[in-house]
Amino acid sequence: MARAGLDTHTLVLAAAELADEYGIEEVTLAALAAKLDVRSPSLYNHINGLAGLRTLMAVYGLEQLYEVISEATEGLSGEAAVHAMSQAYIGFTRAHPGLYQTTLKAPEQGDTALEAAGGKILSLIIQVISAFGLEEEGNLHAVRGLRSILHGFSTLEHQGGFGMPLDLNVTLTRLINTYIAGVRCMGSDADSVK
């Protein structure tokens, strides 16, 4: 029988807290049960094992990331929107490093909840990038590029890879300026690298 007050959402929130504090690899059913002061078997009333929990965390993480970047870009377009989205994305990874890790894996075929959550973010980023006048494929390449930049930046920062005493936010701004300049070039010579 399920414990009163314990539900899937509560489990996901507690697991996200564990992930952010200790890292995603430390999120086990035993650790989650200890955090919630329940026995591990009672978790199975709400989740489908550790793999199921991680999928739920990924959906939750993507939903939270979407909310953050959607709010940041509201009413903005073009360069201002790209900068706001990038800063919000990095802000999310700083605040939720473990939860962020769950969002990185591409969904498996048929995982509709994860596909939908990822699709909302993709649509939002494409909407922002579309201000630069690229064709559909160019938009997707630009999205991949931005994701690579932001993930690389957040990973290096989180793992202590930026040791010089320079303001990381200035670095991020300059990096996004460079990205935007590159995206602007994509519109004029998209096929020149083939």
Side-chain angles (χ1 to χ4, degrees):
M1 184 170 172
R3 176 182 152 182
L6 193 63
D7 58 23
T8 303
H9 186 67
T10 301
L11 296 184
V12 171
L13 291 179
E17 288 175 8
L18 284 172
D20 288 341
E21 189 170 349
Y22 302 109
I24 188 61
E25 295 306 319
E26 299 302 315
V27 178
T28 63
L29 295 183
L32 181 58
K35 179 174 178 61
L36 295 169
D37 196 26
V38 299
R39 294 178 353 151
S40 294
S42 65
L43 300 177
Y44 287 92
N45 293 320
H46 308 284
I47 58 171
N48 186 16
L50 186 59
L53 175 63
R54 294 230 172 129
T55 298
L56 292 171
M57 290 174 69
V59 171
Y60 175 71
L62 288 169
E63 289 170 346
Q64 295 303 300
L65 180 57
Y66 173 82
E67 290 300 321
V68 165
I69 63 175
S70 176
E71 185 177 303
T73 58
E74 189 172 344
L76 301 176
S77 64
E79 292 185 22
V82 174
H83 277 285
M85 180 171 50
S86 299
Q87 291 164 1
Y89 186 106
I90 295 300
F92 179 84
T93 69
R94 287 171 176 164
H96 304 286
L99 183 60
Y100 169 69
Q101 284 297 116
T102 68
T103 68
L104 298 176
K105 185 180 175 195
E108 294 181 18
Q109 185 113 14
D111 191 340
T112 55
L114 200 51
E115 287 175 356
K120 279 180 69 175
I121 291 177
L122 178 60
S123 295
L124 178 59
I125 298 173
I126 288 174
Q127 179 183 342
V128 168
I129 298 296
S130 68
F132 296 99
L134 304 177
E135 80 290 351
E136 184 178 347
E137 186 175 312
N139 282 335
L140 294 176
H141 287 300
V143 168
R144 278 184 175 173
L146 184 59
R147 182 180 182 213
S148 298
I149 289 167
L150 296 176
H151 174 66
F153 187 94
S154 67
T155 299
L156 286 168
E157 179 180 19
H158 184 69
Q159 294 181 356
F162 295 128
M164 289 185 247
L166 293 171
D167 186 326
L168 289 175
N169 294 319
V170 172
T171 301
L172 179 62
T173 297
R174 290 181 176 193
L175 183 58
I176 297 305
N177 283 338
T178 303
Y179 165 80
I180 289 169
V183 169
R184 291 195 182 285
C185 290
M186 285 174 64
S188 60
D189 63 351
D191 295 327
S192 65
V193 294
K194 288 186 178 178

